[in-house]
Amino acid sequence: MEWLRELSWAAVLDQLNVFIAKLIPTVAAAGVPEEYQSLVALGILYFGVTIAVLLFVLLLLKIFRKPRSTEKGIDQAAEEAADISVAETVAEVEREPATEPEPEPEPTLGLFERFKRGLSMTQSSLVGRVDRLLSGRTTIDEDLIEELEEILITADLGMATTQQLIKSIETGLTKGDLASPEQVRQLLMEELKKILKFESKPLDVTSASPFVIMVIGVNGVGKTTTIGKLANQFALAGKKVILGAGDTFRAAAAEQLKIWGERADVEVISHAEGADPGAVAFDAAKAAVARKADILLLDTAGRLHTKVNLMEELKKIRRVLDREIPGAPHEVLLVLDATTGQNALTQARLFNQAVSLDGIALTKLDGTAKGGIIVAIAAEMQVPVRFVGIGEQLDDLRPFDAEMFVSVLFDSN
């Protein structure tokens, strides 16, 4: 590096100036204005130096990469040889038939466990919070009752049902029947069972032939899916089932019902989209009588231009069914989405005013913490919950059992 220290930078600059001066005539001949000639000449010099440096760097890379390439070639040859050896070993192993272990069957859950799994979110939202409130308490005071009231309301039991439960607790305190928080928990269990187990007409599909179930509900609650699952369960029980595609307003509703009909191997009576739902009800009733069906499940529209139109259409369908099959429909089943909470109760009120409900199917109970709406509906409407949806499988639409429902909610195991 001695030459670098002895280098005269003034001499270097002089040489650069001489080189630029020689370039200027060439630049001028190319038509560059006089005021830019020096700048262009300097740019050409810079470009040339940059190219020279890049070429020098590439040359160095080429020189120093040669030994690595050789080493890589040796390593690659060794790897190829190892791969050949491994491949031969694998081929020898494959010649011998291997016995694959049989997969272990998944454990079959009992009905109680399936209900518990489906109601886990509701259990956590309602009873789980109640247990956390009562845990560690030794006395029952006003603060505890106020917190308990808040839990019951936010779990979608409704204001009226909550006040009824709180009144029972206060009455028990006044009488001296409640001395510990555990007794409060037990009282809640008993009161919920009383609310859910009121006297009502049972669903007896053998009481008429054909037994007509008119299924109603707004769009999006799982109405068609519920009909399909019911058809499958009735068919498996040996019943001859016919489906009526009375929802002629929703696009592809009839096609969706036909798919369910194919799965359950049952006949579907349908008309073109936009047809009169009353005409579908008429043909479905005629077909059920002519084919000596045991059960007719009739789908209905979930939305028209106004709620008044929808309710009037349902009343009309009901009259058509009663004219063709006296006493029909024998069951008006309202399908509600449990995830909508208090909105489901509002829907139940409106439909009950229009067509008088016989039963309710509550879907999507496994996907919500608002399962307490079952209690609110039973307490206010006095309409029995016939079925609950606790999963996606065909048999996950289950008959509602009030005793099991409360037992599952309060099960602490």
Side-chain angles (χ1 to χ4, degrees):
M1 301 297 288
E2 187 67 26
W3 63 272
L4 185 60
R5 288 195 295 269
E6 295 176 356
L7 184 63
S8 173
W9 292 103
V12 172
L13 290 174
D14 289 340
Q15 290 296 324
L16 289 176
N17 288 330
V18 170
F19 185 75
I20 291 172
K22 291 180 179 180
L23 280 176
I24 287 176
T26 305
V27 172
V32 177
E34 184 177 354
E35 61 269 23
Y36 297 118
Q37 289 175 4
S38 298
L39 185 60
V40 171
L42 185 60
I44 292 172
L45 176 63
Y46 178 77
F47 180 73
V49 172
T50 303
I51 295 296
V53 171
L54 287 175
L55 290 174
F56 180 70
V57 172
L58 289 174
L59 180 62
L60 290 176
L61 288 174
K62 187 174 181 181
I63 291 171
F64 287 106
R65 285 182 67 182
K66 281 184 178 179
R68 294 186 180 181
S69 299
T70 305
E71 292 173 5
K72 184 178 178 181
I74 294 171
D75 293 342
Q76 186 174 357
E79 289 177 2
E80 290 177 354
D83 289 342
I84 292 172
S85 176
V86 171
E88 290 175 352
T89 305
V90 171
E92 291 177 0
V93 172
E94 287 180 348
R95 290 191 192 104
E96 299 180 2
T99 304
E100 295 183 359
E102 295 182 1
E104 295 183 4
E106 294 184 3
T108 302
L109 296 176
L111 184 57
F112 185 88
E113 290 301 321
R114 288 170 65 187
F115 255 98
K116 186 174 181 179
R117 183 179 61 182
L119 293 171
S120 59
M121 294 178 69
T122 298
Q123 183 187 43
S124 176
S125 172
L126 176 57
V127 181
R129 292 168 64 197
V130 170
D131 287 343
R132 286 192 292 272
L133 173 64
L134 299 178
S135 177
R137 299 289 187 108
T138 56
T139 59
I140 306 169
D141 52 22
E142 290 185 4
D143 290 340
L144 185 145
I145 292 177
E146 285 182 7
E147 290 184 53
L148 181 60
E149 183 177 11
E150 181 182 347
I151 290 173
L152 296 177
I153 292 173
T154 55
D156 277 279
L157 267 69
M159 182 60 72
T161 309
T162 298
Q163 289 177 347
Q164 179 180 340
L165 293 172
I166 294 299
K167 185 177 180 181
S168 298
I169 294 173
E170 290 174 341
T171 301
L173 284 172
T174 303
K175 293 181 177 180
D177 296 335
L178 298 179
S180 68
E182 179 57 34
Q183 289 177 318
V184 173
R185 189 180 192 273
Q186 189 65 33
L187 178 63
L188 283 175
M189 283 183 62
E190 298 303 324
E191 289 299 317
L192 288 176
K193 287 180 183 179
K194 288 179 184 178
I195 292 172
L196 292 169
K197 294 174 69 175
F198 60 89
E199 291 294 328
S200 62
K201 181 183 73 173
L203 179 63
D204 181 11
V205 297
T206 63
S207 60
S209 184
F211 188 89
V212 181
I213 303 176
M214 178 177 163
V215 185
I216 62 177
V218 301
N219 286 347
V221 297
K223 182 157 48 72
T224 306
T225 301
T226 298
I227 292 172
K229 290 182 176 181
L230 286 175
N232 182 73
Q233 293 180 20
F234 288 141
L236 289 176
K239 303 295 183 182
K240 185 172 183 178
V241 181
I242 288 181
L243 304 182
D247 186 357
T248 60
F249 294 91
R250 182 168 63 88
E255 285 71 18
Q256 185 183 357
L257 196 64
K258 287 177 182 177
I259 292 173
W260 279 107
E262 291 173 1
R263 290 180 185 175
D265 194 22
V266 300
E267 184 180 359
V268 179
I269 306 298
S270 65
H271 284 195
E273 185 178 326
D276 179 13
V280 178
F282 176 84
D283 287 349
K286 285 288 187 183
V289 173
R291 293 162 178 68
K292 296 182 179 179
D294 297 308
I295 298 171
L296 168 61
L297 283 162
L298 181 66
D299 192 10
T300 57
R303 179 183 63 83
L304 292 181
H305 298 299
T306 66
K307 283 187 288 189
V308 174
N309 286 346
L310 172 59
M311 299 309 174
E312 290 303 317
E313 192 67 50
L314 294 177
K315 292 177 183 177
K316 174 185 172 183
I317 292 173
R318 186 163 190 157
R319 291 194 298 269
V320 170
L321 291 172
D322 185 45
R323 186 173 65 243
E324 298 306 316
I325 303 174
H330 306 98
E331 176 85 6
V332 177
L333 184 68
L334 173 64
V335 180
L336 296 172
D337 180 350
T339 64
T340 60
Q342 289 296 312
N343 190 38
L345 182 58
T346 302
Q347 292 173 27
R349 293 191 193 108
L350 293 173
F351 279 100
N352 193 44
Q353 290 170 6
V355 289
S356 185
L357 303 176
D358 296 303
I360 289 171
L362 199 63
T363 64
K364 308 176 188 179
L365 197 59
D366 58 314
T368 182
K370 300 179 178 181
I373 193 62
I374 290 182
V375 182
I377 291 172
E380 179 176 333
M381 305 295 301
Q382 292 291 293
V383 175
V385 176
R386 303 289 196 195
F387 302 96
V388 289
I390 56 172
E392 298 295 328
Q393 302 302 317
L394 279 172
D395 59 347
D396 281 337
L397 183 71
R398 307 298 308 179
F400 178 68
D401 184 330
E403 189 81 30
M404 181 178 290
F405 177 80
V406 176
S407 297
V408 164
L409 285 184
F410 284 85
D411 181 52
S412 57
N413 296 325

